Amino acid sequence: MRGVVLPGGSRVEHVTVPVPEPGPGQVLVGMKASSICGSDIRSIYREHVGHGAEAYRGVIAGHEPCGKVVATGDGVHLTSADRVVIYHIVGCGLCDECRHGYEIGCTQPSRAAYGWQRDGGHADFLLAEERSCLLLPDSLSFVDGALVSCGFGTAWEALLRIGVSGQDGLLVTGLGPVGLAAAMLGRALGASPVIGVDISSSRRELAMTLGLVDQALAGDAALSEIEQLTSGAGLSATLDCSGAAAARSIAIRATARWGRCAFVGEGGEVTIDVSQEMIHRQVSVHGSWVTSVPNMKLLLARLDHWGLHPEQIVTHRFSLADADAAYQTADAAVSGKVCLVWE
Ligand SMILES: [Zn+2]
Ligand SMILES: [Zn+2]
């Protein structure tokens, strides 16, 4: 079968490898959609800079896979033709994190993420553990499913963490794919208004065109504009999806008194005037990393119920053969989501 590995130096390498055979508890998934995540760019494509959970071991890339079961190993409940989303980390299954469904947080040596330490979705077939698989509702497309497997799951988890509801106004800093997901899901949870901030005019324009935000503000003036828009109160729920220090600072400072702020954008640092910006204003700041298997299942059910389609934020689709162009497009960081698709 065809596959893609990422050797670093912003290169994409095409390889041919045998089709794997599912063992006990495993399924072989025929890939239908495999999207590119910001962390693929940041930690693997440009250079292999990840450590620990983000160490790339030269495997088939792609940690946002979605497809159809084509073969099953012994003792498996899924059957051929089942459409599945892959929760992209396989933990030990026994530690506290794993037992809560947060296999992302497993620290045992056996932990492996698809596309990082075991083969991922940038190939014609993916060998998956059955317990990594969640059934994709009929109403959702394979591209919808791929987007749920990391980016939408990550946005969803952060919104749940800070309890976003119809009682909130929501600020999202960073309107890349995770930020767009947060805006879409935050609105579905009832948040209003939903305000976005990004330094890229094309990303602001995309968020407005898709109708995911009520306002899309540029970086520098964002804080004073938010003050005006909210009569100085700020927003009760804020979420940074950029990882940039300036954007994190805007998110915290735009949080209303007693409000909640969550960080999901990775990397970097931020300086906080703790007394002025947090303590005296009773602000809570949360870190949130990917999501759990149960919360990903809940998200799939909610998307089905709401009739929402994550693939709305996909701006570029490429075949596996054009993975090079796909990565270059994603690396430019001015588009919406980039997805490899089959057929
Ligand atoms: Zn990811
Ligand atoms: Zn574990």
Side-chain angles (χ1 to χ4, degrees), residues 36-40 63-64 88 116 149-151 154 290 337:
I36 297 174
C37 175
S39 55
D40 291 320
H63 68 267
E64 301 190 340
H88 71 265
W116 297 84
S149 68
C150 178
T154 297
V290 189
K337 193 74 169 175

Side-chain angles (χ1 to χ4, degrees), residues 187-314:
R187 176 161 286 181
L189 287 166
S192 176
V194 178
I195 298 176
V197 172
D198 201 292
I199 54 172
S200 157
S201 59
S202 59
R203 284 191 155 167
R204 292 196 301 273
E205 201 178 306
L206 179 64
M208 289 298 288
T209 307
L210 294 174
L212 300 179
V213 294
D214 299 300
Q215 303 272 345
L217 310 175
D220 289 345
L223 205 54
S224 57
E225 288 180 69
I226 292 164
E227 267 178 34
Q228 276 185 359
L229 289 166
T230 61
S231 307
L235 294 139
S236 52
T238 60
L239 194 56
D240 175 65
C241 302
S242 75
R248 284 177 177 149
S249 185
I250 290 170
I252 290 181
R253 292 159 71 193
T255 306
R257 286 172 178 270
W258 296 96
R260 301 91 63 207
C261 173
F263 288 168
V264 295
E266 295 259 13
E269 296 174 347
V270 66
T271 301
I272 302 170
D273 182 337
V274 174
S275 289
Q276 293 302 318
E277 296 173 5
M278 288 180 65
I279 296 176
H280 299 170
R281 297 173 53 246
Q282 313 276 15
V283 163
S284 306
V285 179
H286 302 251
S288 182
W289 192 22
V290 189
T291 188
S292 67
V293 179
N295 282 345
M296 188 169 281
K297 187 176 172 202
L298 175 62
L299 171 57
L300 289 166
R302 287 284 86 193
L303 289 171
D304 180 37
H305 178 74
W306 287 328
L308 274 185
H309 291 281
E311 74 172 294
Q312 200 188 347
I313 71 162
V314 172

Side-chain angles (χ1 to χ4, degrees), residues 89-158:
I89 307 100
V90 183
C92 72
L94 296 170
C95 71
D96 288 349
E97 295 289 319
C98 285
R99 287 194 191 277
H100 284 105
Y102 288 87
E103 304 203 18
I104 180 71
C106 179
T107 55
Q108 294 304 302
S110 63
R111 176 201 190 273
Y114 298 92
W116 297 84
Q117 298 93 27
R118 62 182 283 168
D119 287 337
H122 291 355
D124 293 320
F125 299 96
L126 167 71
L127 184 65
E129 305 303 314
E130 184 185 35
R131 67 187 171 88
S132 304
C133 298
L134 293 166
L135 284 173
L136 180 67
D138 291 342
S139 70
L140 298 180
S141 70
F142 290 113
V143 173
D144 288 329
L147 267 59
V148 165
S149 68
C150 178
F152 269 71
T154 297
W156 175 243
E157 180 73 23

Side-chain angles (χ1 to χ4, degrees), residues 54-65:
E54 289 199 331
Y56 175 64
R57 299 210 184 116
V59 296
I60 301 285
H63 68 267
E64 301 190 340

